Amino acid sequence: MKPANTTMAALGTTVFEVMSRLAIEHGSINLGQGFPDEDGPADVRRVAADALMDGPNQYPPMAGLPELRRAIAAHARRFYGLDYDWENEIVVTSGATEALADCLLGLLDPGDEVVLLEPLYDSYPPIVERSGATPRYVSLSPPDWRLPVEALEAAFGPKTRMILLNTPMNPAAKAFRRDELEAVARLCVEHDAICLCDEVYEHLLFDGLRHIPIAGLPGMRERTLRIGSAGKIFSLTGWKVGWIEGPAELMGAVAKTHQFVTFTTAPNLQKAVAHGLGKEDGYFAGLAAALQAKRDRLSAGLDRAGFGVLPSEGTYFVSADVRPLGFDGGDEAFCRTITREAGVTAVPVSAFFRRGKVDHLARFCFCKRDATLDEASGRLRAYFGG
Ligand code: PMP
Ligand code: GLN
């Protein structure tokens, strides 16, 4: 038999699935994979449930229900003053994961280079490689994960077609500052490169930080694709409803990719997300405030257990240095050990690196009930004798 595609056949199972399975096997508290343990707003779920019974239940338009595309355009205008034409500049996808694949497969050619900043979400490299393009990695370093501008400049060259940016960034929990985004924008303009910006955590920012979409910087609207996810905004990760906003010139090929990857997304969920995006400002602010309190709660618990807790400016993750606990066997072994022996699961930050050497950090997810966070902290403290 002929072998499978070399890029895909060589892949392991994603770290999120591996650690979640391990958590189930050991009955541990799963603070690994990122998902809330309480479902998002009842009114949003009610719209989905009613639409399931009342319809429509047949194929929606390929680019998404008009009411959802209008709501996505209104959301970008309301929060960032960005203007997108809902008919030609927005495509609804089955999650941000599909949106990323549509953009990468729709825009890249063999021979192109793509600048990837690590730590990174693990779907990026294989899809870049599958498109035939070559990743050029730039590593960020803890604890502040500042953009290394010189290394970034060195990664850009005549073959650079795209940079893939993620802000707020998973798992670094970092929000890129305006000066960092300006450096990225300058390089994109100089090299006529596309910026694919994964902004799924756009509403999960803490301590008064404001999300800055790079599409709003001078010269960037015409070369930026902005990706969003209802899973994060409404704490409904299993729904897998995402979207892409971008200039019509780039969206044509992206939409054609979407039409042959999934074609469309469940109409009842689209209707419900359209409703959700229209919620009052207080909903979005309340989500961030609630998560900020959970970040503080878990960070304090990890600190008491003896971890070196890193700052978390956004997302629903906090990373912690395991070396102060006397553990120097690497973060993957650490995460497996605490799953088995302390009854708490985290994911190793090294899984988000392809080139850089960071293997002393464990990433914990804090979008869980307070009692769950307290129990996890208590178990870790008991285990490490804090
Ligand atoms: N990008 C990042 C940075 C993520 O952390 C995730 C995962 N939750 C996704 C994309 C995928 O989002 P979705 O579940 O909407 O596919
Ligand atoms: N993005 C989520 C995380 O970082 C997980 C997504 C997934 O499981 N594919 O935990």
Side-chain angles (χ1 to χ4, degrees):
M1 203 168 44
K2 286 185 179 165
N5 169 263
T6 43
T7 302
M8 292 312 185
L11 292 175
T13 304
T14 166
V15 64
F16 309 113
E17 178 76 13
V18 169
M19 295 313 292
S20 283
R21 274 194 228 155
L22 206 64
I24 292 168
E25 190 185 317
H26 292 280
S28 68
I29 298 175
N30 189 359
L31 303 186
Q33 190 176 31
F35 61 90
D37 65 353
E38 288 179 295
D39 287 344
D43 59 326
V44 175
R45 287 183 282 134
R46 173 53 56 200
V47 173
D50 289 347
L52 192 73
M53 296 315 294
D54 303 340
N57 283 298
Q58 306 308 328
Y59 295 132
M62 184 266 279
L65 285 186
E67 67 188 90
L68 176 53
R69 283 182 283 153
R70 283 199 187 94
I72 291 167
H75 168 269
R77 205 172 305 118
R78 162 155 67 132
F79 287 99
Y80 315 116
L82 292 171
D83 259 307
Y84 290 102
D85 166 11
W86 71 269
E87 285 181 282
N88 299 302
E89 299 192 310
I90 290 173
V91 169
V92 175
T93 59
S94 294
T97 309
E98 194 225 7
L100 286 157
D102 292 345
C103 294
L104 296 170
L105 297 175
L107 296 170
L108 298 172
D109 271 316
D112 288 341
E113 290 183 359
V114 180
V115 178
L116 295 177
L117 304 181
E118 57 177 14
L120 41 65
Y121 183 53
D122 65 352
S123 82
Y124 303 169
I127 305 293
V128 169
E129 285 170 20
R130 196 68 184 88
S131 76
T134 306
R136 295 288 307 267
Y137 292 98
V138 174
S139 306
L140 275 61
S141 301
D144 59 351
W145 309 103
R146 278 287 297 176
L147 188 74
V149 177
E150 274 181 27
L152 191 66
E153 281 168 352
F156 272 77
K159 293 186 182 162
T160 306
R161 180 84 179 108
M162 179 189 282
I163 178 169
L164 207 174
L165 198 68
N166 172 214
T167 185
M169 191 186 203
N170 176 14
K174 173 208 167 67
F176 284 96
R177 298 298 192 270
R178 186 169 293 277
D179 65 312
E180 293 173 301
L181 296 174
E182 281 168 354
V184 173
R186 174 176 57 79
L187 286 164
C188 286
V189 171
E190 271 171 27
H191 292 267
D192 191 22
I194 295 167
C195 182
L196 176 55
C197 202
D198 177 344
E199 303 183 24
V200 300
Y201 298 105
E202 63 191 301
H203 286 292
L204 312 186
L205 268 173
F206 313 132
D207 307 318
L209 282 171
R210 309 277 306 186
H211 177 64
I212 308 173
I214 196 167
L217 270 57
M220 290 307 284
R221 189 202 182 280
E222 69 256 36
R223 58 180 70 254
T224 300
L225 292 149
R226 213 174 84 79
I227 291 180
S229 171
K232 316 291 180 201
I233 300 178
F234 301 110
S235 302
L236 295 164
T237 59
W239 280 22
K240 299 295 283 188
V241 178
W243 55 85
I244 310 159
E245 304 160 9
E249 297 68 36
L250 298 177
M251 290 302 285
V254 170
K256 283 179 194 148
T257 313
H258 162 72
Q259 80 180 341
F260 292 136
V261 174
T262 56
F263 181 68
T264 192
T265 298
N268 66 318
L269 302 183
Q270 291 198 45
K271 241 174 131 54
V273 171
H275 165 81
L277 287 174
K279 282 173 91 67
E280 69 289 0
D281 291 356
Y283 167 74
F284 299 87
L287 176 70
L291 279 168
Q292 179 174 325
K294 290 183 183 296
R295 174 205 61 178
D296 292 344
R297 194 174 192 102
L298 183 63
S299 298
L302 293 173
D303 180 67
R304 276 195 300 274
F307 286 85
V309 182
L310 266 58
S312 166
E313 300 175 340
T315 75
Y316 30 56
F317 306 113
V318 61
S319 291
D321 191 339
V322 306
R323 292 170 305 188
L325 298 164
F327 198 96
D328 58 6
D331 57 4
E332 198 190 328
F334 179 86
C335 290
R336 286 178 182 273
T337 302
I338 59 168
T339 298
R340 245 184 356 254
E341 295 178 18
V344 179
T345 296
V347 293
V349 169
S350 59
F352 300 80
F353 280 88
R354 295 294 171 276
R355 290 283 178 283
K357 294 269 170 286
V358 171
D359 74 344
H360 60 278
L361 297 175
R363 189 198 76 173
F364 294 87
C365 173
F366 51 73
C367 51
K368 308 289 178 188
R369 290 182 182 88
D370 287 351
T372 305
L373 297 175
D374 293 348
E375 174 65 22
S377 300
R379 287 185 187 188
L380 289 167
R381 194 171 171 189
Y383 179 71
F384 289 109

